[in-house]
Amino acid sequence: MNLNDLFKPQAELDKHIINEHDLHNQDLLQRRSAALICEVWECLNETKLFKFWSKKKAIRSKVLEEYVDSVHFALSLGNQLGYTKHVYEEVKDRDIIDLAFGITNLATLIPVTKDKNFSELFNLLIKLGYQLGFTEQEVIEAYYAKNKINHERQVNGY
């Protein structure tokens, strides 16, 4: 999955948010990492995979929406770290819950280690998308749709 073209529009959204909320000269790495962790687990929540007590089925569009929210924050982290190009390195199939824990662990480390773990984190996030059954084209289209909504939210005082 090649998401390199998404770093630039994410940087534009990040700049808009920084200006709108007067966040100049603030280190947002820890907050972005926290947001990524939240979004990954919201995505997992929508999959219903860990809900062994429930018979409810996942709604694919909701899972994709939460996955793309995760992509937004991962791209923000990358941009802040000066990491705007990624070459995906295949990650072996893992349990989806295990992938979410792996992403969480690396996102927790990034505010301390900076860019040392970003490539591995992004590989795990892309692998999560593949294992959820999303294509590169679906992710990119959903990203741009949600990015547009995020810009509108900022204009409207979200």
Side-chain angles (χ1 to χ4, degrees), residues 22-92:
D22 195 23
L23 299 170
H24 303 279
N25 302 316
Q26 290 193 31
D27 182 1
L28 300 174
L29 203 57
Q30 192 173 48
R31 292 190 217 178
R32 286 179 172 140
S33 292
L36 171 59
I37 292 166
C38 288
E39 294 299 341
V40 165
W41 287 97
E42 286 179 19
C43 176
L44 194 70
N45 187 49
E46 289 296 337
T47 70
K48 315 287 190 229
L49 290 174
F50 68 92
K51 295 183 177 186
F52 53 86
W53 59 87
S54 178
K55 293 182 181 182
K56 290 183 177 180
K57 301 277 187 206
I59 299 170
R60 192 172 194 279
S61 62
K62 288 184 176 184
V63 176
L64 178 59
E65 182 179 346
E66 296 300 341
Y67 176 74
V68 167
D69 286 345
S70 302
V71 170
H72 271 83
F73 285 107
L75 292 166
S76 285
L77 280 173
N79 282 329
Q80 184 172 345
L81 295 167
Y83 191 101
T84 58
K85 185 175 181 190
H86 180 76
V87 177
Y88 177 66
E89 294 179 25
E90 182 62 34
V91 175
K92 69 177 185 157

Side-chain angles (χ1 to χ4, degrees), residues 2 7 43-44 52 54 68 86 97 104 110 113 125 134 147 157:
N2 183 343
F7 281 102
C43 176
L44 194 70
F52 53 86
S54 178
V68 167
H86 180 76
I97 296 169
T104 299
I110 282 179
T113 63
L125 186 63
F134 302 132
N147 189 272

Side-chain angles (χ1 to χ4, degrees), residues 105-123:
N105 290 339
L106 292 172
T108 301
L109 290 173
I110 282 179
V112 176
T113 63
K114 306 300 181 215
D115 64 345
K116 184 177 178 184
N117 298 104
F118 183 78
S119 183
E120 185 179 354
L121 180 146
F122 212 60
N123 282 333

